[in-house]
Amino acid sequence: MECYTLDKKSILGKINKSEDRLLVAGILDKAAQAEKLWKYAYTDFLDPYQQKLAERALQSMKCSAWTFDGGYKDAERAVVIFFPGLNPQDDIELVEKPFSLINVELKTEANLSHRDYLGALLGLGIKREKVGDIIVRKESGSIIVLKEVADYIIYNLDQVGRVGVAATLGEIENLEVPAVKTKEIKCTVPSLRIDCIVSNGFGISRSKAMPLFSSERVYLNWEVEKKPSAQVKEGDTVSVRGMGRVIVSEISGLTRKGRISVVLKRLV
């Protein structure tokens, strides 16, 4: 498959934040190198916002020899895998995966959180970008990491929070991901402004929602949204840092009073 030459300067010129430009520049360099050497390559893990940046940039290549993969369907964090030489109809599942699954068994029962697991990994000196999704269960956890750090974690991770643990290498094909729990919120709003969604989705007044925008705590589809008047549509994800996220699941017709019926799903 032939990829057209990257106009790197043009792509990066459209990105405002310096940290975003640095990230995308690294991804484009990785893509160009993979294509030039006709060699399999991959990035570090990207969060959903970073994935959007990467997708926009890579689509400018007019090349389909790449994909996102986080280890399982609907993974939140994912790497970009470059596989020059394969055609779109080829089975991408045959491409080598660059990550490992680490299973963590708790030695005593405890109510650990995602933050506890992540904190334990960062405490070992593991960089955030080397870690994918963390699945938390009552008596165990599963962590997807890049292969390059898997052995180090297995040999050194013996505590999460204040709980002793045993870490072992697992088979990512056998990973069981619990169903996402959501709370359905049915409401009516005067408009599809994002501040209306934040107010109803998180149970706060619109006046209390306003400072969240100026402090850049509100995200629309993973991008910071500073305008309370920004419009949302069905399928959008609205996140508030420190409060969680809601999905605009359904937008129905108008009520008799001219308000819009909306169904939100808040992740719990």
Side-chain angles (χ1 to χ4, degrees):
M1 173 178 299
E2 179 181 357
C3 283
Y4 296 99
T5 303
L6 273 76
D7 186 355
K8 183 178 177 181
K9 185 176 180 180
S10 174
I11 294 172
L12 297 180
K14 299 175 182 178
I15 302 175
N16 295 323
K17 295 182 180 180
S18 58
E19 61 267 31
D20 291 346
R21 284 197 300 273
L22 185 63
L23 173 76
V24 172
I27 293 172
L28 293 179
D29 287 344
K30 182 87 68 173
Q33 184 180 34
E35 193 68 24
K36 181 179 179 180
L37 300 177
W38 210 244
K39 185 179 180 181
Y40 161 90
Y42 58 88
T43 68
D44 286 334
F45 280 101
L46 308 174
D47 63 30
Y49 170 68
Q50 293 169 331
Q51 290 172 45
K52 289 186 68 173
L53 290 174
E55 184 172 20
R56 290 170 187 165
L58 290 170
Q59 284 177 342
S60 300
M61 292 176 64
K62 301 179 180 179
C63 173
S64 59
W66 59 272
T67 188
F68 289 112
D69 198 330
Y72 66 96
K73 186 177 182 294
D74 297 326
E76 183 169 298
R77 294 175 62 81
V79 302
V80 184
I81 300 177
F82 302 99
F83 45 95
L86 287 184
N87 292 314
Q89 65 268 26
D90 289 333
D91 189 357
I92 296 176
E93 291 301 315
L94 296 177
V95 176
E96 180 186 358
K97 301 302 169 65
F99 29 70
S100 297
L101 175 69
I102 296 177
N103 290 322
V104 181
E105 295 294 331
L106 279 58
K107 294 184 178 179
T108 57
E109 188 173 323
N111 186 25
L112 296 177
S113 67
H114 182 282
R115 182 176 296 181
D116 291 323
Y117 281 91
L118 181 57
L121 294 173
L122 297 179
L124 294 177
I126 302 298
K127 294 182 178 180
R128 183 66 179 101
E129 57 266 29
K130 304 299 180 183
V131 182
D133 282 7
I134 300 173
I135 294 92
V136 178
R137 306 182 191 86
K138 187 174 183 180
E139 298 177 353
S140 66
S142 295
I143 309 169
I144 300 174
V145 301
L146 290 182
K147 287 182 178 179
E148 62 204 62
V149 299
D151 286 344
Y152 177 81
I153 294 173
I154 290 171
Y155 290 130
N156 291 279
L157 184 64
D158 56 12
Q159 185 171 311
V160 175
R162 297 183 178 180
V163 181
V165 301
T168 58
L169 188 65
E171 296 291 337
I172 202 161
E173 296 80 8
N174 299 328
L175 174 64
E176 294 183 4
V177 181
V180 176
K181 295 181 180 180
T182 60
K183 175 185 178 182
E184 187 173 87
I185 301 170
K186 295 182 179 180
C187 57
T188 62
V189 292
S191 71
L192 293 176
R193 287 170 50 120
I194 191 172
D195 59 343
C196 296
I197 302 303
V198 170
S199 174
N200 284 275
F202 298 99
I204 59 176
S205 66
R206 289 177 68 182
S207 61
K208 288 186 176 181
M210 290 302 174
L212 300 175
F213 291 90
S214 58
S215 59
E216 298 188 0
R217 290 178 58 189
V218 180
Y219 298 78
L220 176 57
N221 296 326
W222 314 108
E223 296 189 57
V224 172
E225 182 52 73
K226 299 179 182 179
K227 297 180 180 178
S229 61
Q231 299 291 296
V232 302
K233 62 184 182 301
E234 195 167 287
D236 281 350
T237 296
V238 177
S239 311
V240 178
R241 190 171 69 250
M243 298 177 69
R245 75 184 68 148
V246 296
I247 299 170
V248 183
S249 177
E250 182 181 333
I251 298 175
S252 303
L254 297 176
T255 66
R256 292 180 180 178
K257 295 183 178 181
R259 294 173 66 90
I260 305 170
S261 297
V262 176
V263 177
L264 307 175
K265 288 187 178 180
R266 181 174 177 178
L267 277 65
V268 297

